[in-house]
Each structure stands twice: as structure tokens, then as C-alpha cells.
Amino acid sequence: MDLLNLPVRALILGAGRGKRMRPLSDRTPKPLLRYCGKRLIDWQIEAMARGGVRHFVVNTAHLADQFPAALGNGSDRGLMIEYSREGDTEADALETLGGIARALPLLSPDGQTPFIVAAGDIVTDFDYGALAARAGKLARGEADAHLVLVENPSFHPQGDMALTDGLVRRAPRQYTFASIGLYSPRIFRDVEIRPCKLFPWLYRFCDQGRVTGEVFRGLWKNIGTPQQLED
């Protein structure tokens, strides 16, 4: 079963400066850096496309012009790629929550279909097609979001959140958010378009038992520094 059963679109986050990746990110946006011969963002696009996603939105700010020049409109891959331009410099970036609010009309034109949001700097073999059933539940109003979690990595041992009976909770912080999530557009309708992080804002829905989750134990790499890229 894949995401073709619902016209699910995906936002790939690419607006940030990637400060920990400097000096490499001074001239090239972090998602456009190459890992194992492939741009970081292409790992995500290809993984999502295997799961049935055909329509992508990339939010941009830092070195924004490089994204459409590198990726085009997706037609060469049988996909559609659009851009949510937040500005021209890192100072214009809206963070994750503000970026979603800005891109919302592109992500869910009907205001009802759920969409995926994922970081543009992770490498994973996560099966995005497995989100199909989750998308249906969100569309029916049975939950507001579904998050993918991973075991706490060495660079983030303190973790982010817990998973109890399939629901995401604030504590104990036994897992790390994998920067992969499926969201209902209804929770973003009244969000102001300004720089704002997704957390702790999303915790209000976790506290209401409206955010489901899963733990992924396959390939997942957060490429954050030049050393990690080299390794």
C-alpha cells in the first residue's frame, strides 16, 4: 500500500543555514551537499517517491536560488517540485512551524489532506509508503499528527520524547524525533506566519493524546557536521 491512495504531498525543509556544517554550508545549502555521491535532499526525495509521493515542496531562504537551479521542477523524475521561498538569507528563515504555515496552501490545497514534513539533511531507508494507513486516520480526524522516532543517537543522548501505547508523550525522553512526521492541515490553520519552532508548540496536541508515533530502527543518519559527512 502506498501514498498514491491519498494525494499526500511532502515538505522538505531546506531554509536553514546549517551552522554546524560551516564552512561547507557557507556556499552551498546543507541539503544540496553530497553524501555518498548523492545530494542529501535527493536521498529524501527518492525515498518518498518510492513510497508514492509525487508532489514536493521545498522551503528555502539561505542561498535560496540554488535549490531550483539544482532540482528544477521535478519533471525529469516524473515528479512535481515547488518552492516556498521565505526570503533570501538565513535571517528570513521561518523555522519549522512558521515554514509549514507559510507553505500550507501548497501542502494541502483542499485543507483536509495530510502531508509529510521531513528534514532535508537526513539519510534514511524509512518506508514512507507505510504512512498510507496513518494518512487515512488523520484525514478521518482520529489523530492530528504521527511522528517517527529513533533510538537516542550518541549526539543527542538526552532524547526528545516518549512513546506510550502508540502515543507520543513528553517524558521520559527515551527517543529522539527523527525529523519525519505526518500532519493534519487543520492544526496549522490559525498559525501565524513568523519564525517559530515546531516544538514545544506541538506538545499541546501530544498532551491531548492526539499525536501517534512509531519507532524506526532502520537506516537513519542525521548529517549535521563536516566530520559526519566525511565519516
Side-chain angles (χ1 to χ4, degrees):
M1 187 175 186
D2 64 34
L3 294 171
L4 288 173
N5 294 289
L6 279 176
V8 174
R9 302 184 180 189
L11 171 65
I12 299 182
L13 302 171
R17 175 62 181 262
K19 292 181 179 179
R20 294 192 302 136
M21 191 60 83
R22 299 182 71 181
L24 298 181
S25 59
D26 287 342
R27 295 185 177 182
T28 303
K30 185 178 175 183
L32 296 184
L33 294 172
R34 291 187 176 273
Y35 172 81
C36 293
K38 189 184 303 182
R39 289 174 300 217
L40 289 172
I41 196 169
D42 286 326
W43 286 89
Q44 282 287 52
I45 291 173
E46 292 175 9
M48 292 182 189
R50 286 194 298 270
V53 179
R54 293 292 178 267
H55 196 136
F56 295 83
V57 177
V58 180
N59 71 330
T60 63
H62 174 58
L63 301 175
D65 289 336
Q66 291 192 29
F67 283 93
L71 302 175
N73 63 8
S75 60
D76 57 329
R77 317 186 203 200
L79 308 173
M80 178 178 288
I81 301 177
E82 296 185 283
Y83 300 91
S84 177
R85 186 161 183 154
E86 298 171 5
D88 301 312
T89 70
E90 61 178 303
D92 300 318
L94 295 171
E95 300 282 0
T96 302
L97 180 57
I100 293 173
R102 174 69 174 271
L104 194 59
L106 297 175
L107 293 170
S108 184
D110 63 2
Q112 299 179 12
T113 303
F115 52 84
I116 297 168
V117 178
D121 58 357
I122 58 176
V123 173
T124 182
D125 61 0
F126 176 73
D127 179 11
Y128 284 95
L131 292 178
R134 300 290 183 181
K137 290 182 179 180
L138 266 62
R140 292 190 296 272
E142 297 174 18
D144 291 325
H146 179 78
L147 306 183
V148 178
L149 315 179
V150 294
E151 300 283 356
N152 292 337
S154 58
F155 63 84
H156 190 61
Q158 69 271 27
D160 295 317
M161 56 196 69
L163 187 65
T164 304
D165 297 328
L167 295 176
V168 174
R169 301 297 187 184
R170 297 186 190 226
R173 295 162 67 177
Q174 61 194 121
Y175 298 111
T176 291
F177 178 41
S179 296
I180 300 171
L182 181 72
Y183 304 91
S184 168
R186 62 179 167 270
I187 65 175
F188 300 101
R189 287 172 184 158
D190 298 323
V191 173
E192 183 181 354
I193 299 177
R194 63 180 179 83
C196 191
K197 297 181 182 296
L198 185 62
F199 291 96
W201 177 85
L202 192 66
Y203 280 131
R204 71 184 72 182
F205 302 98
C206 297
D207 294 343
Q208 297 167 11
R210 299 286 299 170
V211 179
T212 59
E214 65 182 279
V215 178
F216 176 64
R217 293 184 169 86
L219 172 67
W220 183 87
K221 294 180 180 294
N222 184 312
I223 313 298
T225 67
Q227 186 61 52
Q228 289 173 336
L229 191 67
E230 180 65 23
D231 291 343

